[in-house]
Amino acid sequence: MILRLSTAFFQTLREAPADAEATSHRLMLRAGLIRQVAGGLYTYLPLGWRIIQKIEAIVREEMDRSGAQEILAPILQPAQLWEETGRIRAYGPELMRLEDRHGRAFVLGPTHEELFTDLVRGVIRSYRQLPITLYQIQDKFRDERRPRFGLLRGREFIMKDAYSFDCDEEGMAASYEAMYQAYVRIFARLGLDTRAVEAQQGAIGGTGGSHEFMAIAPIGEDEIVYCDACDYAANVEKAQGVPSPLPAASSRAETVGQVSLPGVIETGAQAEALGVDRAYVLKTLLYEADGQPIAAILRGDHTLNEAKLAAALGVAEVTPLSEERVRKLLPKATHGYIGPLGLSEQGVGLFVEPDVMALPYAICGSNEEGFLRCGLRPHQAFADARILDLKEVYAGDPCPSCGAPLAAAHGIEVGQVFKLGTKYSAPMGAVYLDEAGQQRPLYMGCYGIGVSRIAAAVVEQSHDEDGIVWPMAVAPAHVHVVIVDMQNEEQRVMGEHLAETLSASGYEVIIDDRQEHAGVKFKDADLLGIPLRMTVGRKAGEGIVELSRRRDRKTVELKVEEIVGIVARLFGENS
RNA sequence: CGGAAUGUGGCGCAGAUGGUAGCGCGCACGGUUCGGGACCGUGAGGCCCCGGGUUCAAGUCCCGGCAUUCCGACCA
């Protein structure tokens, strides 16, 4: 393959558009790989599309190797399928909905569990046909509340999604393991620094367990904690809290009664004013889950993790209770003085963090402006409440599996695998007959990889001040031949010859045959980040070209005849 | 969804008190250059986001939309 820049649909930008913030977004725009169409929507230009295809090829190879079979389903799906599982409501506002001319409801698939389950239930009859794993690589739609960071969070994006179907839990676990291993191979081949972490099941659901594959990068929107002493690693949305030590209390917290503390709203300030440890001042957070008011109760020194609360309740998300509803519920309370007492009588579900139950007594809001209540006995007050691990886990907290301090990092979620169990097969009636002739629901798993996001994640992990540094595996080409002076016949001929030779040997070549100054060509080459650059310049007459490696700028002069051998060697090193 | 900022040639920006739009880069043509974003000259290119309004006159002031971006959406 030879791509000529003189005729390519290709343009670099000297300056990135002012509203591009993320490094990968800026560099991909500047390098002429993508163009924005609207918020969260991008067109992949020829070189950008090559990158996507490289990623897809690796994903496809490893999927096929694992035994999965590729299909292609429609993006547009009848909403009715989503009614069957109830996800039409549960998925929330991120689901793109639309109607056809007859007023029939459709959705643009953000994921395809229903579609694939529907497909398989129409085909699979017997355990003899199982197990089976199907996948596709296709556009997905999510009506993001805030698309951002270029390809990292778009409204339309490319995803590989796979679904496994097994007879039972053990089969499902084996399919899951096979996919997990395929993912490990995929991210290794892509050259991404990735870490698998325990994850929340979220809107996809299921109960069997889930792992996310996180590309480590500061811009990552997910926070993970991991243990260097053992192999524990989890998204903070999932990270298990361990009991915190009990700080020394004061009699102030123990003595039953009201205390007036007007204008002190925050638990830290309240604790200080009362001379007690902050742990003893409870925070009562009012939320709404599926329209129902609920209260989360934590120690003052702890932070609520909303994702844990939502997961425990089995809803997609929880939102803070609106001010109007709070006023209706607790007319006399204001900001800072909300407490748990009397809430359950009003139908508010109470969810209490275990560390709260460990407190012998505590201080909480009185539900009346300006007053706190002291001497609350959690084990009595919350006798009927649900006890839930709700607190945020931070770097330095003890590892739940070995106790060593946890480390934290930001990650870009590039893949996730789920054990779904019968979450979709049961409501949708996807069943098979076992050896005994018994009808049983299929056990499913689902497995996603964010193909377009990976391109951006690679750039986030691999760039310098001059531009992108593509790993060989996903680079839009292997070698970038720069003809320094197009007026010079010798250089032109040699450049063309080189490109032909390399291409004939199976390498993908970009040749810069534009009528541009050397400086422009070098700058563009750096920006574009092809792993190997071959410069045909003033020594062309002596049969010498210059080979330089983008990654470390290491440069050597070579005789033309040596080129193919050297490239082969460097290619083997996965430059 | 809440808050904020910004919308002026392809990109980056400037356009005090309202007076009919400019700079740099890019683009086209000519010439000189030719190994790290060259130089000189000439030129093309703008519904100033959209819709109302005020005014003799609106890029500029007022109202309403739309779009893009950023921050937030744990201390109730």
Side-chain angles (χ1 to χ4, degrees):
Chain A
M1 193 276 327
I2 299 178
L3 189 142
R4 305 184 166 276
L5 290 188
S6 63
T7 54
F9 187 64
F10 169 76
Q11 178 201 33
T12 54
L13 266 39
R14 204 156 182 166
E15 293 169 279
D19 46 16
E21 194 68 17
T23 305
S24 59
H25 191 198
R26 296 175 67 83
L27 289 176
M28 293 183 85
L29 286 170
R30 283 192 56 212
L33 304 177
I34 55 172
R35 295 279 293 192
Q36 181 167 15
V37 175
L41 301 175
Y42 293 85
T43 298
Y44 304 98
L45 302 179
L47 288 169
W49 183 236
R50 292 187 59 81
I51 293 155
I52 298 293
Q53 289 174 312
K54 290 287 184 80
I55 297 168
E56 286 185 359
I58 290 174
V59 169
R60 195 169 267 127
E61 267 181 48
E62 294 300 337
M63 281 295 114
D64 292 345
R65 186 200 307 266
S66 78
Q69 302 173 56
E70 185 170 8
I71 66 166
L72 187 62
I75 296 169
L76 190 64
Q77 312 177 8
Q80 204 188 329
L81 285 176
W82 288 66
E83 303 275 6
E84 288 190 43
T85 55
R87 277 213 299 179
I88 190 81
R89 283 174 306 284
Y91 205 87
E94 279 189 10
L95 183 62
M96 287 268 194
R97 299 150 205 259
L98 63 158
E99 282 186 358
D100 70 4
R101 62 167 72 190
H102 306 294
R104 286 185 291 240
F106 287 84
V107 305
L108 292 179
T111 174
H112 280 213
E113 284 77 13
E114 283 83 357
L115 212 300
F116 275 67
T117 307
D118 176 58
L119 172 70
V120 167
R121 73 179 163 185
V123 175
I124 297 296
R125 296 277 103 94
S126 154
Y127 73 95
R128 292 169 186 273
Q129 297 166 285
L130 297 171
I132 199 140
T133 298
L134 302 175
Y135 77 98
Q136 63 176 349
I137 298 176
Q138 184 217 45
D139 274 20
K140 291 284 184 286
F141 293 82
R142 288 185 192 171
D143 195 355
E144 291 288 345
R145 65 178 138 185
R146 190 176 154 203
R148 62 184 136 179
F149 300 148
L151 294 190
L152 286 176
R153 182 168 293 281
R155 290 190 289 183
E156 176 175 349
F157 54 96
I158 302 170
M159 179 163 146
K160 185 283 305 177
D161 48 327
Y163 306 86
S164 64
F165 301 86
D166 279 277
C167 295
D168 51 28
E169 238 177 299
E170 296 79 72
M172 172 178 77
S175 295
Y176 182 90
E177 179 62 17
M179 279 293 134
Y180 185 105
Q181 292 307 331
Y183 276 36
V184 169
R185 288 196 300 271
I186 287 168
F187 294 117
R189 284 183 62 184
L190 288 169
L192 267 182
D193 175 18
T194 309
R195 184 140 202 164
V197 303
E198 290 179 19
Q200 206 66 259
Q201 311 266 87
I204 309 286
T207 50
S210 176
H211 287 86
E212 285 166 327
F213 289 78
M214 294 291 190
I216 304 303
I219 198 168
E221 296 181 273
D222 285 283
E223 199 164 346
I224 64 170
V225 289
Y226 58 92
C227 180
D228 284 321
C230 69
D231 60 358
Y232 182 79
N235 191 311
V236 290
E237 294 180 348
K238 175 79 177 179
Q240 193 189 328
V242 303
S244 299
L246 195 64
S250 79
S251 58
R252 198 62 186 270
E254 184 171 9
T255 314
V256 177
Q258 293 260 104
V259 53
S260 170
L261 202 59
V264 186
I265 288 167
E266 193 237 355
T267 55
Q270 292 172 344
E272 198 174 328
L274 296 173
V276 301
D277 190 283
R278 188 178 185 177
Y280 288 86
V281 183
L282 302 186
K283 44 174 91 162
T284 303
L285 308 173
L286 296 178
Y287 275 84
E288 192 175 324
D290 263 352
Q292 291 302 307
I294 53 170
I297 297 147
L298 291 93
R299 270 171 42 167
D301 59 336
H302 289 158
T303 297
L304 172 70
N305 185 307
E306 287 185 11
K308 285 188 182 178
L309 180 59
L313 292 167
V315 297
E317 64 173 2
V318 293
T319 49
L321 202 60
S322 71
E323 220 154 305
E324 300 87 284
R325 291 195 68 180
V326 173
R327 221 172 298 123
K328 219 161 145 195
L329 202 63
L330 304 168
K332 296 201 311 199
T334 56
H335 212 100
Y337 301 101
I338 304 230
L341 295 174
L343 288 180
S344 49
E345 286 75 4
Q346 295 198 61
V348 179
L350 297 190
F351 298 88
V352 183
E353 161 65 28
D355 283 338
V356 169
M357 298 306 279
L359 297 171
Y361 33 76
I363 297 169
C364 64
S366 66
N367 292 329
E368 189 176 342
E369 178 165 11
F371 294 95
L372 298 180
R373 177 181 298 267
C374 300
L376 179 87
R377 314 284 155 170
H379 52 280
Q380 290 167 13
F382 305 131
D384 298 326
R386 267 185 73 185
I387 314 301
L388 281 181
D389 172 24
L390 293 174
K391 69 181 174 186
E392 184 90 21
V393 173
Y394 293 99
D397 285 355
C399 169
S401 122
C402 78
L406 290 169
H410 285 271
I412 300 166
E413 185 198 331
V414 287
Q416 186 166 12
V417 291
F418 299 82
K419 289 179 191 164
L420 297 173
T422 60
K423 164 163 178 165
Y424 297 90
S425 55
M428 293 184 72
V431 297
Y432 70 98
L433 290 182
D434 68 11
E435 292 168 70
Q438 286 287 314
Q439 204 172 71
R440 298 190 183 281
L442 293 163
Y443 277 75
M444 295 173 53
C446 83
Y447 318 92
I449 284 185
V451 172
S452 44
R453 177 181 279 183
I454 283 171
V458 170
V459 177
E460 291 292 342
Q461 285 190 355
S462 186
H463 65 268
D464 61 21
E465 59 284 357
D466 294 317
I468 304 171
V469 182
W470 290 111
M472 194 61 94
V474 295
H478 303 130
V479 185
H480 188 138
V481 175
V482 174
I483 300 174
V484 172
D485 181 5
M486 283 299 287
Q487 318 290 9
N488 182 306
E489 179 74 15
E490 272 174 346
Q491 294 187 19
R492 235 171 40 224
V493 170
M494 184 186 283
E496 293 290 343
H497 168 72
L498 263 179
E500 292 293 345
T501 309
L502 287 165
S503 176
S505 306
Y507 298 105
E508 297 164 357
V509 181
I510 290 176
I511 181 164
D512 193 344
D513 55 349
R514 295 176 300 173
Q515 301 280 354
E516 289 286 355
H517 280 83
V520 172
K521 296 187 175 193
F522 292 143
K523 288 287 184 191
D524 280 351
D526 289 345
L527 182 58
L528 191 53
I530 305 301
L532 298 174
R533 186 181 89 198
M534 220 160 267
T535 309
V536 183
R538 46 170 109 82
K539 293 193 178 168
E542 307 160 41
I544 290 173
V545 298
E546 187 182 283
L547 177 66
S548 72
R549 187 155 61 181
R550 178 67 182 85
R551 186 185 359 125
D552 54 10
R553 292 253 143 82
K554 212 175 133 199
T555 302
V556 288
E557 289 192 343
L558 297 169
K559 302 291 278 181
V560 184
E561 308 83 68
E562 304 175 271
I563 286 298
V564 172
I566 299 286
V567 168
R569 211 192 72 217
L570 290 172
F571 192 76
E573 291 171 8
N574 202 23
S575 300

